Amino acid sequence: MELERISVVLRPRAPREALDLGAAMLRANAAAVWSAWFAFTVPVFVLCNALGVLLGLPWLGLVLVWWLKPLFDRLPLYVLSRAVFDRAPTWRETLRGQRQWSWRSTLAGLSWLRIDSSRALRLPLDLLEGAPRKQRSARWKVLRRRIVADTSLLTYGCLQFELVLFLSVWLLALLLIPHEWRPESLSDFFGRDVHDASTLWILLGATVAYLAMSAIEPLYVACGFALYLNRRTQLEAWDIDLAFRRLRARLQGLGKVLGVLLLCAGALPPSARAAAGETPPKPVVSSLDKLFGQPPDSADRRFAEAAAEVYRDPRFGGERKVRRWMFKHTPKPDTSTQPISFPALARVLVAVFKGLLWLLLIGAVGALAWFAWRWRGRLAPAADEPAPALPHGLQARTEAPAPLPADLAGVTRALWQARRRREALALLYRGCVERTAQLLQLPLSADATEADWLRQAAAIDDPARAQRVIAIVRTWQFAAYADRYPDDAAIEQLLSGWPAQTGAPA
């Protein structure tokens, strides 16, 4: 491996710091990664969903696209593995480069290793190294050591991110739907709307799931590749190796200069070297007598004999081998805690607290079961029960204690002409609510909302009357909440028929 060309700063990192490195690599090569991703996965997504529709199993496309994730993961890994050494390849080069890698590991990832939680770390080992099966198995045991929890956490975290994106799209769509068009409950939505257009809803859900997967899966592969690089840096000391290679390159460049200088110095004549102040080398001293200029005295001899006597003692001299069994990772003794004086009492206290925790858990589960049983009728009414009365909150604000006037249209027109526009529209809205309830034979409750009456307008058999109810409710909404009032012609049109005039046609 040509480590000199690598563009990533190689140093031992903590696993979560390596995950940040993977996210940074993905951001730096985002265009190359996602262009190759969509160029390959979009046709596969269309084919899988088309196959599901043709077979009459629309959910099959969603399952197939999710199952083919190990096949899609080859694309981001190819881009990132080339980008850290040279440049990011184009999407055409990425698709052509898949022929260089073995498909045996991908087939394993699509079969018995599909639910492997360490797939992000196993992928670069299988595709980039290309070692035989036995050697790859031995390397995997060493590579995954101490980081298996981090790789599993990465897998489950990315699954949760995909789920969050999937649900966020649906919640955003739900917030954009007008209140009167929303289903009354989730059971109503899945039992009526989804059942009536099951194929369309499943294809729409598969599309949203594919977009969520496209946003998260390249990040998953990039973080796994960063964990792989970090683990190999820790095991093989890539940072030290790279430092020595750079030092060697600098010394080679400096050695050429020194060689030229030595050649130039050797080419000078002896007279020139003497003139330059060069001194001949001194002779090597071969004994202590020549070094100090005098023979050693008797004190030095006595010290030498004493040292020889000490080294002959077996306690100091010689070599010996000692073998004993020790744990590889011995935990350090905790000196901060005091020893327990009464171990029996400690065991009793532990058992008591454990029993209390179990009782607390059982009580919580029982309380949840009682709550579910108590509210089961309110949360999910039976099919044969009549629909509950709709809330009518705004009616409580507009409802007067006196009954409606006999000439609702005339009183409303008089209030409007007297510049009491809000009171006029409130009276008209109240009359519309009461007469709509009489028409549909619904009881009046205390919490009505405009959205409920807009929804009830769909139950009126006469489309003209339904449109008139919707127009009156909308007019009241604009006046009550936005302070926007209609003109005189619009008021006269609302007062010209039912419900302002009893018995009149719409």
Side-chain angles (χ1 to χ4, degrees):
M1 183 178 293
E2 300 179 4
L3 295 179
E4 300 89 348
R5 297 170 51 201
I6 197 166
S7 59
V8 179
V9 178
L10 293 178
R11 61 178 177 83
R13 293 177 170 89
R16 297 188 181 182
E17 190 180 359
L19 298 180
D20 293 338
L21 174 63
M25 289 192 299
L26 180 63
R27 289 195 303 269
N29 305 280
V33 170
W34 269 292
S35 61
W37 172 272
F38 286 114
F40 181 76
T41 59
V42 168
V44 176
F45 170 76
V46 173
L47 289 177
C48 290
N49 285 276
L51 178 63
V53 172
L54 291 177
L55 296 178
L57 303 172
W59 52 266
L60 184 62
L62 175 63
V63 175
L64 285 177
V65 172
W66 176 82
W67 194 266
L68 292 175
K69 275 187 179 183
L71 175 63
F72 301 156
D73 291 344
R74 297 167 60 101
L75 303 168
L77 181 62
Y78 185 89
V79 175
L80 295 175
S81 61
R82 268 62 181 175
V84 296
F85 285 101
D86 192 2
R87 63 174 183 85
T90 62
W91 65 270
R92 292 186 177 87
E93 295 173 350
T94 302
L95 296 182
R96 288 195 298 265
Q98 300 304 311
R99 295 177 295 181
Q100 304 174 6
W101 284 349
S102 173
W103 292 93
R104 183 176 303 175
S105 60
T106 303
L107 295 177
L110 292 172
S111 52
W112 65 87
L113 292 178
R114 179 58 187 86
I115 57 175
D116 183 17
S117 61
S118 302
R119 176 165 53 91
L121 185 63
R122 188 189 294 272
L123 187 67
L125 173 67
D126 294 338
L127 296 179
L128 297 179
E129 296 189 10
R133 185 177 61 85
K134 292 184 178 180
Q135 183 179 357
R136 188 169 64 248
S137 177
R139 283 187 55 80
W140 172 246
K141 292 179 182 179
V142 177
L143 191 68
R144 68 191 292 267
R145 190 179 302 163
R146 298 185 183 181
I147 60 170
V148 62
D150 298 284
T151 54
S152 300
L153 184 63
L154 172 65
T155 301
Y156 299 133
C158 289
L159 285 176
Q160 292 177 3
F161 285 148
E162 287 188 21
L163 182 61
V164 166
L165 290 178
F166 179 79
L167 296 179
S168 298
V169 172
W170 293 109
L171 290 177
L172 177 61
L174 184 64
L175 291 175
L176 297 177
I177 297 175
H179 183 70
E180 60 270 14
W181 292 354
R182 296 179 190 174
E184 298 182 2
S185 63
L186 288 178
S187 59
D188 212 15
F189 172 72
F190 288 105
R192 184 183 61 194
D193 299 338
V194 176
H195 180 73
D196 294 342
S198 58
T199 302
L200 180 61
W201 278 109
I202 292 176
L203 291 179
L204 187 59
T207 304
V208 174
Y210 165 74
L211 293 177
M213 180 186 70
S214 300
I216 301 300
E217 193 65 16
L219 176 64
Y220 174 68
V221 177
C223 292
F225 181 55
L227 284 175
Y228 170 79
L229 292 178
N230 184 60
R231 187 59 178 154
R232 288 200 62 177
T233 302
Q234 294 174 350
L235 294 175
E236 303 175 20
W238 277 0
D239 53 337
I240 301 176
D241 186 9
L242 187 59
F244 277 118
R245 292 189 184 189
R246 291 171 179 169
L247 180 61
R248 176 173 173 268
R250 289 198 298 267
L251 292 178
Q252 284 180 344
L254 184 60
K256 295 179 180 178
V257 177
L258 292 176
V260 172
L261 293 177
L262 290 176
L263 288 176
C264 294
L268 293 175
S271 59
R273 290 199 297 269
E278 182 179 348
T279 58
K282 296 182 179 180
V284 179
V285 179
S286 60
S287 65
L288 294 177
D289 299 343
K290 293 181 180 180
L291 177 62
F292 294 102
Q294 59 181 1
D297 56 6
S298 58
D300 295 332
R301 292 192 184 94
R302 289 196 304 270
F303 175 77
E305 292 175 358
E309 183 66 25
V310 170
Y311 278 111
R312 282 194 294 269
D313 192 333
R315 293 175 299 175
F316 300 101
E319 296 181 356
R320 57 179 178 173
K321 294 182 180 180
V322 178
R323 293 183 179 180
R324 57 179 178 176
W325 293 96
M326 295 181 63
F327 287 105
K328 187 172 183 180
H329 307 291
T330 306
K332 296 182 179 179
D334 189 4
T335 58
S336 60
T337 58
Q338 298 295 331
I340 300 176
S341 303
F342 303 99
L345 179 60
R347 287 194 295 269
V348 171
L349 292 176
V350 168
V352 170
F353 282 113
K354 186 176 180 181
L356 291 176
L357 289 176
W358 276 109
L359 290 176
L360 182 62
L361 178 61
I362 293 172
V365 173
L368 289 175
W370 176 83
F371 178 80
W373 178 82
R374 177 78 180 273
W375 290 86
R376 72 187 189 281
R378 301 185 185 183
L379 296 177
D384 55 350
E385 293 181 0
L390 291 174
H392 307 292
L394 192 57
Q395 180 183 347
R397 298 192 294 269
T398 62
E399 203 170 39
L404 287 175
D407 187 7
L408 178 62
V411 175
T412 303
R413 187 179 292 107
L415 291 173
W416 184 266
Q417 292 174 357
R419 298 299 178 184
R420 297 165 63 181
R421 298 181 297 178
R422 188 178 185 86
E423 296 180 18
L425 292 179
L427 180 61
L428 179 60
Y429 171 71
R430 177 188 157 210
C432 176
V433 165
E434 291 191 9
R435 290 175 180 175
T436 302
Q438 293 174 4
L439 180 65
L440 297 177
Q441 298 180 356
L442 292 176
L444 290 174
S445 70
D447 328 336
T449 62
E450 297 90 344
D452 295 326
W453 289 112
L454 290 174
R455 190 180 295 112
Q456 283 299 324
I460 300 177
D461 296 333
D462 189 354
R465 290 191 175 186
Q467 292 298 324
R468 186 170 289 274
V469 171
I470 292 174
I472 293 175
V473 173
R474 289 295 190 192
T475 302
W476 166 246
Q477 282 182 319
F478 286 132
Y481 301 115
D483 201 21
R484 294 171 55 188
Y485 293 93
D487 54 8
D488 295 340
I491 288 296
E492 289 297 331
Q493 185 178 2
L494 295 178
L495 297 176
S496 61
W498 184 89
Q501 299 179 9
T502 307

Short mmCIF file of all heavy atoms in Angstrom, two decimals, residues 6-30 33 80-81 83-84 154 218-234 238-239:
data_model
loop_
_atom_site.label_atom_id
_atom_site.label_comp_id
_atom_site.label_asym_id
_atom_site.label_seq_id
_atom_site.Cartn_x
_atom_site.Cartn_y
_atom_site.Cartn_z
N ILE A 6 -1.58 8.86 0.55
CA ILE A 6 -2.84 8.97 1.25
C ILE A 6 -3.09 10.41 1.67
O ILE A 6 -2.16 11.13 2.09
CB ILE A 6 -2.88 8.01 2.46
CG1 ILE A 6 -4.30 7.81 2.94
CG2 ILE A 6 -2.00 8.52 3.60
CD1 ILE A 6 -4.46 6.64 3.89
N SER A 7 -4.31 10.86 1.52
CA SER A 7 -4.66 12.25 1.84
C SER A 7 -5.26 12.42 3.22
O SER A 7 -5.58 13.53 3.61
CB SER A 7 -5.66 12.78 0.79
OG SER A 7 -6.83 11.99 0.77
N VAL A 8 -5.39 11.33 3.96
CA VAL A 8 -5.95 11.37 5.31
C VAL A 8 -4.81 11.39 6.31
O VAL A 8 -3.80 10.69 6.12
CB VAL A 8 -6.87 10.16 5.56
CG1 VAL A 8 -7.43 10.18 6.97
CG2 VAL A 8 -8.00 10.15 4.54
N VAL A 9 -4.94 12.19 7.35
CA VAL A 9 -3.93 12.22 8.40
C VAL A 9 -4.04 10.93 9.21
O VAL A 9 -5.05 10.71 9.89
CB VAL A 9 -4.12 13.46 9.30
CG1 VAL A 9 -3.09 13.45 10.42
CG2 VAL A 9 -4.02 14.73 8.49
N LEU A 10 -3.00 10.10 9.10
CA LEU A 10 -3.02 8.80 9.78
C LEU A 10 -2.48 8.96 11.20
O LEU A 10 -1.34 9.36 11.40
CB LEU A 10 -2.18 7.79 9.02
CG LEU A 10 -2.71 7.37 7.64
CD1 LEU A 10 -1.75 6.41 6.98
CD2 LEU A 10 -4.08 6.74 7.77
N ARG A 11 -3.32 8.66 12.17
CA ARG A 11 -2.92 8.62 13.57
C ARG A 11 -3.96 7.81 14.32
O ARG A 11 -5.12 7.72 13.90
CB ARG A 11 -2.82 10.02 14.16
CG ARG A 11 -4.11 10.82 14.15
CD ARG A 11 -3.93 12.18 14.79
NE ARG A 11 -5.14 12.97 14.72
CZ ARG A 11 -6.15 12.88 15.59
NH1 ARG A 11 -6.09 11.99 16.58
NH2 ARG A 11 -7.22 13.64 15.48
N PRO A 12 -3.60 7.18 15.41
CA PRO A 12 -4.60 6.42 16.18
C PRO A 12 -5.67 7.35 16.73
O PRO A 12 -5.39 8.37 17.35
CB PRO A 12 -3.77 5.78 17.30
CG PRO A 12 -2.36 5.78 16.79
CD PRO A 12 -2.23 6.99 15.93
N ARG A 13 -6.92 7.00 16.47
CA ARG A 13 -8.05 7.79 16.92
C ARG A 13 -8.99 6.94 17.77
O ARG A 13 -8.99 5.70 17.65
CB ARG A 13 -8.85 8.33 15.72
CG ARG A 13 -8.12 9.36 14.88
CD ARG A 13 -8.98 9.75 13.69
NE ARG A 13 -8.46 10.91 12.98
CZ ARG A 13 -7.59 10.85 11.99
NH1 ARG A 13 -7.11 9.67 11.62
NH2 ARG A 13 -7.15 11.96 11.41
N ALA A 14 -9.79 7.60 18.57
CA ALA A 14 -10.88 6.92 19.26
C ALA A 14 -11.93 6.52 18.22
O ALA A 14 -12.05 7.15 17.17
CB ALA A 14 -11.48 7.83 20.32
N PRO A 15 -12.71 5.45 18.49
CA PRO A 15 -13.68 5.01 17.48
C PRO A 15 -14.65 6.10 17.06
O PRO A 15 -14.97 6.24 15.88
CB PRO A 15 -14.39 3.85 18.18
CG PRO A 15 -13.39 3.32 19.15
CD PRO A 15 -12.64 4.52 19.63
N ARG A 16 -15.13 6.89 17.99
CA ARG A 16 -16.10 7.92 17.61
C ARG A 16 -15.43 9.07 16.84
O ARG A 16 -16.06 9.71 16.01
CB ARG A 16 -16.81 8.44 18.85
CG ARG A 16 -17.60 7.34 19.54
CD ARG A 16 -18.47 7.83 20.66
NE ARG A 16 -19.17 6.72 21.27
CZ ARG A 16 -20.04 6.83 22.27
NH1 ARG A 16 -20.29 8.03 22.77
NH2 ARG A 16 -20.64 5.77 22.78
N GLU A 17 -14.16 9.29 17.11
CA GLU A 17 -13.43 10.27 16.30
C GLU A 17 -13.23 9.74 14.89
O GLU A 17 -13.26 10.51 13.91
CB GLU A 17 -12.08 10.57 16.96
CG GLU A 17 -11.35 11.75 16.34
CD GLU A 17 -10.02 12.02 17.01
OE1 GLU A 17 -9.68 11.30 17.98
OE2 GLU A 17 -9.33 12.96 16.58
N ALA A 18 -13.05 8.42 14.76
CA ALA A 18 -12.95 7.82 13.42
C ALA A 18 -14.27 7.95 12.66
O ALA A 18 -14.28 8.13 11.44
CB ALA A 18 -12.54 6.36 13.54
N LEU A 19 -15.40 7.86 13.37
CA LEU A 19 -16.69 8.06 12.71
C LEU A 19 -16.80 9.48 12.16
O LEU A 19 -17.33 9.70 11.07
CB LEU A 19 -17.82 7.77 13.69
CG LEU A 19 -17.91 6.34 14.24
CD1 LEU A 19 -19.08 6.21 15.19
CD2 LEU A 19 -18.04 5.34 13.11
N ASP A 20 -16.31 10.45 12.91
CA ASP A 20 -16.29 11.83 12.40
C ASP A 20 -15.42 11.95 11.16
O ASP A 20 -15.74 12.70 10.24
CB ASP A 20 -15.79 12.78 13.49
CG ASP A 20 -16.76 12.88 14.65
OD1 ASP A 20 -17.94 12.59 14.45
OD2 ASP A 20 -16.33 13.25 15.76
N LEU A 21 -14.31 11.21 11.14
CA LEU A 21 -13.45 11.21 9.95
C LEU A 21 -14.20 10.66 8.74
O LEU A 21 -14.08 11.19 7.63
CB LEU A 21 -12.19 10.39 10.22
CG LEU A 21 -11.25 10.18 9.02
CD1 LEU A 21 -10.69 11.51 8.54
CD2 LEU A 21 -10.12 9.22 9.39
N GLY A 22 -14.98 9.59 8.95
CA GLY A 22 -15.77 9.05 7.84
C GLY A 22 -16.78 10.05 7.31
O GLY A 22 -16.95 10.18 6.08
N ALA A 23 -17.44 10.79 8.20
CA ALA A 23 -18.39 11.80 7.75
C ALA A 23 -17.67 12.91 6.98
O ALA A 23 -18.20 13.42 5.98
CB ALA A 23 -19.14 12.38 8.95
N ALA A 24 -16.47 13.28 7.42
CA ALA A 24 -15.71 14.31 6.70
C ALA A 24 -15.29 13.82 5.31
O ALA A 24 -15.34 14.59 4.34
CB ALA A 24 -14.49 14.71 7.52
N MET A 25 -14.87 12.56 5.20
CA MET A 25 -14.52 12.03 3.88
C MET A 25 -15.72 12.02 2.96
O MET A 25 -15.61 12.30 1.75
CB MET A 25 -13.94 10.62 4.03
CG MET A 25 -12.56 10.56 4.66
SD MET A 25 -11.79 8.92 4.52
CE MET A 25 -12.95 7.90 5.40
N LEU A 26 -16.90 11.69 3.49
CA LEU A 26 -18.10 11.68 2.65
C LEU A 26 -18.46 13.08 2.19
O LEU A 26 -18.84 13.28 1.03
CB LEU A 26 -19.26 11.06 3.43
CG LEU A 26 -20.58 10.97 2.68
CD1 LEU A 26 -20.46 10.06 1.48
CD2 LEU A 26 -21.70 10.48 3.60
N ARG A 27 -18.34 14.07 3.07
CA ARG A 27 -18.63 15.44 2.65
C ARG A 27 -17.67 15.91 1.56
O ARG A 27 -18.07 16.64 0.64
CB ARG A 27 -18.55 16.38 3.85
CG ARG A 27 -19.68 16.23 4.84
CD ARG A 27 -19.74 17.42 5.78
NE ARG A 27 -18.48 17.61 6.50
CZ ARG A 27 -18.19 17.08 7.67
NH1 ARG A 27 -19.08 16.30 8.27
NH2 ARG A 27 -17.04 17.31 8.27
N ALA A 28 -16.40 15.52 1.67
CA ALA A 28 -15.42 15.96 0.68
C ALA A 28 -15.65 15.33 -0.69
O ALA A 28 -15.26 15.91 -1.72
CB ALA A 28 -14.00 15.65 1.17
N ASN A 29 -16.27 14.16 -0.74
CA ASN A 29 -16.50 13.45 -2.01
C ASN A 29 -17.98 13.17 -2.23
O ASN A 29 -18.35 12.14 -2.79
CB ASN A 29 -15.72 12.13 -2.01
CG ASN A 29 -14.24 12.31 -1.74
OD1 ASN A 29 -13.48 12.67 -2.62
ND2 ASN A 29 -13.84 12.08 -0.49
N ALA A 30 -18.82 14.08 -1.78
CA ALA A 30 -20.27 13.85 -1.84
C ALA A 30 -20.77 13.72 -3.27
O ALA A 30 -21.59 12.84 -3.58
CB ALA A 30 -21.00 14.97 -1.11
N VAL A 33 -19.80 10.31 -4.77
CA VAL A 33 -20.47 9.18 -4.10
C VAL A 33 -21.92 9.08 -4.53
O VAL A 33 -22.39 8.02 -4.98
CB VAL A 33 -20.35 9.32 -2.57
CG1 VAL A 33 -21.24 8.30 -1.87
CG2 VAL A 33 -18.91 9.12 -2.14
N LEU A 80 -14.64 6.10 -2.12
CA LEU A 80 -13.84 6.59 -1.00
C LEU A 80 -12.47 5.95 -0.96
O LEU A 80 -11.48 6.60 -0.61
CB LEU A 80 -14.59 6.32 0.31
CG LEU A 80 -15.91 7.09 0.48
CD1 LEU A 80 -16.61 6.65 1.75
CD2 LEU A 80 -15.66 8.59 0.50
N SER A 81 -12.37 4.65 -1.31
CA SER A 81 -11.07 3.99 -1.28
C SER A 81 -10.13 4.54 -2.33
O SER A 81 -8.90 4.49 -2.16
CB SER A 81 -11.25 2.48 -1.49
OG SER A 81 -11.84 2.22 -2.75
N ALA A 83 -10.54 7.81 -3.47
CA ALA A 83 -10.41 9.24 -3.20
C ALA A 83 -9.35 9.54 -2.14
O ALA A 83 -8.71 10.59 -2.19
CB ALA A 83 -11.76 9.81 -2.76
N VAL A 84 -9.14 8.64 -1.18
CA VAL A 84 -8.15 8.91 -0.13
C VAL A 84 -6.72 8.75 -0.64
O VAL A 84 -5.78 9.20 0.02
CB VAL A 84 -8.37 7.98 1.08
CG1 VAL A 84 -9.69 8.24 1.73
CG2 VAL A 84 -8.24 6.52 0.69
N LEU A 154 -22.94 1.68 15.34
CA LEU A 154 -23.06 2.39 14.07
C LEU A 154 -24.20 1.82 13.23
O LEU A 154 -24.98 2.57 12.64
CB LEU A 154 -21.73 2.28 13.31
CG LEU A 154 -21.72 2.81 11.87
CD1 LEU A 154 -21.98 4.30 11.84
CD2 LEU A 154 -20.40 2.47 11.18
N PRO A 218 -24.74 5.75 2.37
CA PRO A 218 -23.36 6.16 2.09
C PRO A 218 -22.61 6.63 3.34
O PRO A 218 -21.40 6.38 3.48
CB PRO A 218 -23.51 7.29 1.06
CG PRO A 218 -24.80 7.00 0.38
CD PRO A 218 -25.68 6.44 1.44
N LEU A 219 -23.30 7.29 4.24
CA LEU A 219 -22.66 7.68 5.50
C LEU A 219 -22.27 6.46 6.32
O LEU A 219 -21.20 6.42 6.94
CB LEU A 219 -23.62 8.58 6.30
CG LEU A 219 -23.15 9.00 7.69
CD1 LEU A 219 -21.90 9.87 7.59
CD2 LEU A 219 -24.25 9.74 8.43
N TYR A 220 -23.11 5.45 6.31
CA TYR A 220 -22.81 4.20 7.02
C TYR A 220 -21.55 3.54 6.46
O TYR A 220 -20.66 3.09 7.21
CB TYR A 220 -24.01 3.27 6.89
CG TYR A 220 -23.82 1.89 7.45
CD1 TYR A 220 -23.67 1.68 8.82
CD2 TYR A 220 -23.82 0.78 6.62
CE1 TYR A 220 -23.51 0.41 9.33
CE2 TYR A 220 -23.66 -0.49 7.12
CZ TYR A 220 -23.51 -0.67 8.48
OH TYR A 220 -23.34 -1.94 8.97
N VAL A 221 -21.43 3.49 5.14
CA VAL A 221 -20.25 2.88 4.52
C VAL A 221 -19.00 3.72 4.79
O VAL A 221 -17.92 3.18 5.08
CB VAL A 221 -20.49 2.72 3.00
CG1 VAL A 221 -19.25 2.16 2.32
CG2 VAL A 221 -21.66 1.80 2.75
N ALA A 222 -19.12 5.05 4.73
CA ALA A 222 -17.97 5.92 4.97
C ALA A 222 -17.47 5.78 6.41
O ALA A 222 -16.25 5.72 6.65
CB ALA A 222 -18.34 7.37 4.67
N CYS A 223 -18.35 5.71 7.37
CA CYS A 223 -17.93 5.55 8.77
C CYS A 223 -17.29 4.19 8.99
O CYS A 223 -16.30 4.07 9.73
CB CYS A 223 -19.13 5.74 9.69
SG CYS A 223 -19.78 7.42 9.73
N GLY A 224 -17.82 3.14 8.36
CA GLY A 224 -17.19 1.83 8.47
C GLY A 224 -15.80 1.80 7.86
O GLY A 224 -14.88 1.19 8.40
N PHE A 225 -15.63 2.47 6.73
CA PHE A 225 -14.31 2.54 6.10
C PHE A 225 -13.33 3.32 6.97
O PHE A 225 -12.14 2.96 7.08
CB PHE A 225 -14.45 3.20 4.73
CG PHE A 225 -13.15 3.32 3.97
CD1 PHE A 225 -12.36 2.21 3.73
CD2 PHE A 225 -12.72 4.55 3.50
CE1 PHE A 225 -11.17 2.32 3.02
CE2 PHE A 225 -11.54 4.67 2.80
CZ PHE A 225 -10.76 3.55 2.56
N ALA A 226 -13.79 4.38 7.64
CA ALA A 226 -12.92 5.13 8.55
C ALA A 226 -12.53 4.28 9.76
O ALA A 226 -11.38 4.35 10.22
CB ALA A 226 -13.62 6.41 8.99
N LEU A 227 -13.45 3.49 10.28
CA LEU A 227 -13.10 2.56 11.38
C LEU A 227 -12.05 1.54 10.92
O LEU A 227 -11.15 1.19 11.68
CB LEU A 227 -14.35 1.84 11.86
CG LEU A 227 -15.32 2.64 12.75
CD1 LEU A 227 -16.56 1.81 13.03
CD2 LEU A 227 -14.65 3.04 14.05
N TYR A 228 -12.18 1.08 9.68
CA TYR A 228 -11.21 0.13 9.13
C TYR A 228 -9.82 0.77 9.04
O TYR A 228 -8.81 0.17 9.46
CB TYR A 228 -11.70 -0.34 7.77
CG TYR A 228 -10.70 -1.13 6.98
CD1 TYR A 228 -10.46 -2.48 7.26
CD2 TYR A 228 -9.98 -0.54 5.95
CE1 TYR A 228 -9.54 -3.21 6.52
CE2 TYR A 228 -9.07 -1.26 5.20
CZ TYR A 228 -8.85 -2.58 5.50
OH TYR A 228 -7.93 -3.29 4.77
N LEU A 229 -9.73 1.98 8.51
CA LEU A 229 -8.44 2.66 8.42
C LEU A 229 -7.85 2.92 9.80
O LEU A 229 -6.63 2.75 10.01
CB LEU A 229 -8.60 3.98 7.67
CG LEU A 229 -8.93 3.91 6.17
CD1 LEU A 229 -9.10 5.32 5.62
CD2 LEU A 229 -7.84 3.17 5.41
N ASN A 230 -8.68 3.32 10.73
CA ASN A 230 -8.18 3.60 12.08
C ASN A 230 -7.69 2.33 12.77
O ASN A 230 -6.66 2.34 13.46
CB ASN A 230 -9.30 4.25 12.89
CG ASN A 230 -8.83 4.66 14.27
OD1 ASN A 230 -7.93 5.47 14.40
ND2 ASN A 230 -9.44 4.11 15.30
N ARG A 231 -8.40 1.23 12.56
CA ARG A 231 -7.99 -0.02 13.20
C ARG A 231 -6.67 -0.53 12.62
O ARG A 231 -5.80 -1.01 13.35
CB ARG A 231 -9.09 -1.07 13.02
CG ARG A 231 -8.86 -2.36 13.78
CD ARG A 231 -8.75 -2.11 15.25
NE ARG A 231 -8.56 -3.35 15.99
CZ ARG A 231 -7.96 -3.44 17.16
NH1 ARG A 231 -7.49 -2.34 17.73
NH2 ARG A 231 -7.83 -4.60 17.78
N ARG A 232 -6.49 -0.42 11.33
CA ARG A 232 -5.22 -0.84 10.73
C ARG A 232 -4.08 0.09 11.13
O ARG A 232 -2.94 -0.35 11.27
CB ARG A 232 -5.36 -0.88 9.20
CG ARG A 232 -6.21 -2.03 8.71
CD ARG A 232 -5.96 -2.35 7.27
NE ARG A 232 -4.58 -2.76 7.02
CZ ARG A 232 -4.13 -3.16 5.84
NH1 ARG A 232 -4.95 -3.19 4.79
NH2 ARG A 232 -2.87 -3.51 5.68
N THR A 233 -4.39 1.37 11.34
CA THR A 233 -3.37 2.28 11.85
C THR A 233 -2.93 1.89 13.24
O THR A 233 -1.73 1.94 13.58
CB THR A 233 -3.91 3.72 11.85
OG1 THR A 233 -4.30 4.07 10.52
CG2 THR A 233 -2.86 4.70 12.34
N GLN A 234 -3.86 1.45 14.08
CA GLN A 234 -3.52 1.01 15.42
C GLN A 234 -2.73 -0.29 15.41
O GLN A 234 -1.76 -0.46 16.17
CB GLN A 234 -4.79 0.82 16.25
CG GLN A 234 -5.55 2.11 16.52
CD GLN A 234 -6.87 1.87 17.21
OE1 GLN A 234 -7.32 0.72 17.32
NE2 GLN A 234 -7.52 2.93 17.66
N TRP A 238 0.65 2.50 11.07
CA TRP A 238 0.81 3.19 9.79
C TRP A 238 1.37 4.59 9.98
O TRP A 238 2.12 5.08 9.13
CB TRP A 238 -0.55 3.27 9.09
CG TRP A 238 -0.91 2.02 8.34
CD1 TRP A 238 -0.17 0.89 8.24
CD2 TRP A 238 -2.10 1.80 7.59
NE1 TRP A 238 -0.80 -0.03 7.48
CE2 TRP A 238 -2.00 0.50 7.05
CE3 TRP A 238 -3.22 2.55 7.31
CZ2 TRP A 238 -2.99 -0.05 6.25
CZ3 TRP A 238 -4.22 2.02 6.51
CH2 TRP A 238 -4.10 0.72 5.99
N ASP A 239 1.00 5.25 11.07
CA ASP A 239 1.51 6.60 11.27
C ASP A 239 3.02 6.61 11.47
O ASP A 239 3.74 7.47 10.95
CB ASP A 239 0.81 7.24 12.46
CG ASP A 239 0.89 6.37 13.70
OD1 ASP A 239 1.09 5.14 13.56
OD2 ASP A 239 0.77 6.91 14.82
#
